[in-house]
């Protein structure tokens, strides 16, 4: 009856993947996603001692963010990618060769039903069911200055990807661009 996002659940999920496969999470992701899709500029960051070798994050006032022990966790964060690599993932999700049709259907099935058509959550995707029966699936992210927005408009065969390493809520305004790619206007949300 209620949905609340939890980073900790994704850290636990990464740990389960390691136990089941007997491999580090970064290798599991490389084997199952990055290598098959040729996402050559993507990786899981899991060693905070190498923090100066990755893109740094900034506050909204352009001050560099501090690092602490929480920055060493993964599953909920620390997957570094590029918009071009993310597009490869989005494109692969149109094929049943990468994910089965059944799994994709489960990903986009709302399980929380907190409010009909709004704030639903599938398997790793937030969902809005529009009045015109189109699915609006997305996931936003935030961690210490990094913000991201991934909107998947499958009915229009389109997506919107935006990453920033400077904290700004403007990243989440990508929802306003959706209506340029089909009938996804806010007025169509089924409330």
């Amino acid at each position: 009856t209620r949905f609340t996002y939890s980073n900790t659940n994704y850290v636990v999920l990464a740990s389960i993947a390691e136990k089941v496969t007997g491999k580090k999470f970064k290798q599991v992701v490389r084997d199952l996603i990055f290598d098959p899709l040729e996402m050559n500029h993507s990786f899981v960051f899991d060693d905070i001692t190498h923090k100066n070798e990755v893109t740094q994050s900034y506050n909204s006032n352009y001050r560099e963010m501090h690092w602490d022990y929480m920055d060493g966790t993964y599953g909920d964060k620390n997957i570094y990618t590029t918009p071009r690599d993310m597009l490869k993932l989005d494109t692969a999700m149109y094929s049943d060769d990468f994910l089965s049709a059944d799994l994709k259907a489960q990903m986009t099935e709302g399980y929380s039903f907190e409010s009909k058509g709004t704030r639903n959550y599938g398997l790793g995707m937030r969902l809005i069911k529009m009045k015109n029966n189109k699915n609006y699936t997305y996931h936003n992210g935030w961690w210490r200055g990094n913000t991201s927005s991934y909107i998947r408009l499958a009915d229009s065969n389109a997506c919107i990807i935006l990453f920033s390493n400077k904290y700004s809520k403007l990243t989440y305004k990508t929802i306003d661009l959706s209506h340029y790619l089909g009938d996804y206007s806010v007025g169509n949300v089924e409330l």
Side-chain angles (χ1 to χ4, degrees), residues 11-175:
V11 173
V12 171
L13 185 60
S15 179
I16 291 169
E18 290 180 333
K19 293 283 187 197
V20 168
T21 64
K23 299 177 184 177
K24 295 293 289 176
F25 183 66
K26 68 179 175 183
Q27 190 61 49
V28 173
V29 175
R30 176 138 314 281
D31 291 347
L32 295 177
I33 301 171
F34 296 157
D35 285 348
L37 300 182
E38 298 180 6
M39 295 174 67
N40 299 324
H41 304 286
S42 301
F43 61 94
V44 175
F45 179 72
D46 66 349
D47 186 351
I48 198 167
T49 64
H50 295 281
K51 66 183 181 185
N52 294 324
E53 298 172 23
V54 296
T55 303
Q56 299 302 300
S57 304
Y58 298 88
N59 287 311
S60 58
N61 63 3
Y62 296 99
R63 287 198 176 122
E64 194 170 312
M65 297 292 285
H66 70 281
W67 289 75
D68 66 26
Y69 72 97
M70 291 293 292
D71 294 298
T73 63
Y74 51 86
D76 62 327
K77 64 181 135 313
N78 282 330
I79 296 179
Y80 283 70
T81 191
T82 64
R84 199 170 299 257
D85 272 6
M86 190 68 185
L87 180 60
K88 289 178 181 181
L89 177 63
D90 181 77
T91 302
M93 289 202 298
Y94 287 100
S95 165
D96 290 343
D97 295 335
F98 179 65
L99 294 176
S100 70
D102 182 52
L103 183 56
K104 286 186 284 192
Q106 289 179 50
M107 285 176 62
T108 57
E109 175 69 30
Y111 295 98
S112 62
F113 299 109
E114 193 166 324
S115 297
K116 186 172 174 51
T118 60
R119 284 193 58 148
N120 287 326
Y121 203 78
L123 298 180
M125 295 296 286
R126 294 178 188 258
L127 312 165
I128 296 174
K129 185 70 162 185
M130 310 299 276
K131 281 185 179 179
N132 61 14
N133 285 324
K134 288 186 179 185
N135 288 320
Y136 187 97
T137 58
Y138 69 102
H139 208 291
N140 294 332
W142 170 84
W143 183 255
R144 296 195 199 274
N146 294 293
T147 53
S148 62
S149 181
Y150 167 60
I151 299 171
R152 181 170 169 73
L153 306 170
D155 293 336
S156 299
N157 197 24
C159 73
I160 301 170
I161 301 165
L162 184 70
F163 302 140
S164 176
N165 67 326
K166 180 187 121 352
Y167 178 73
S168 173
K169 290 184 180 181
L170 291 175
T171 306
Y172 310 126
K173 300 285 280 172
T174 52
I175 192 170

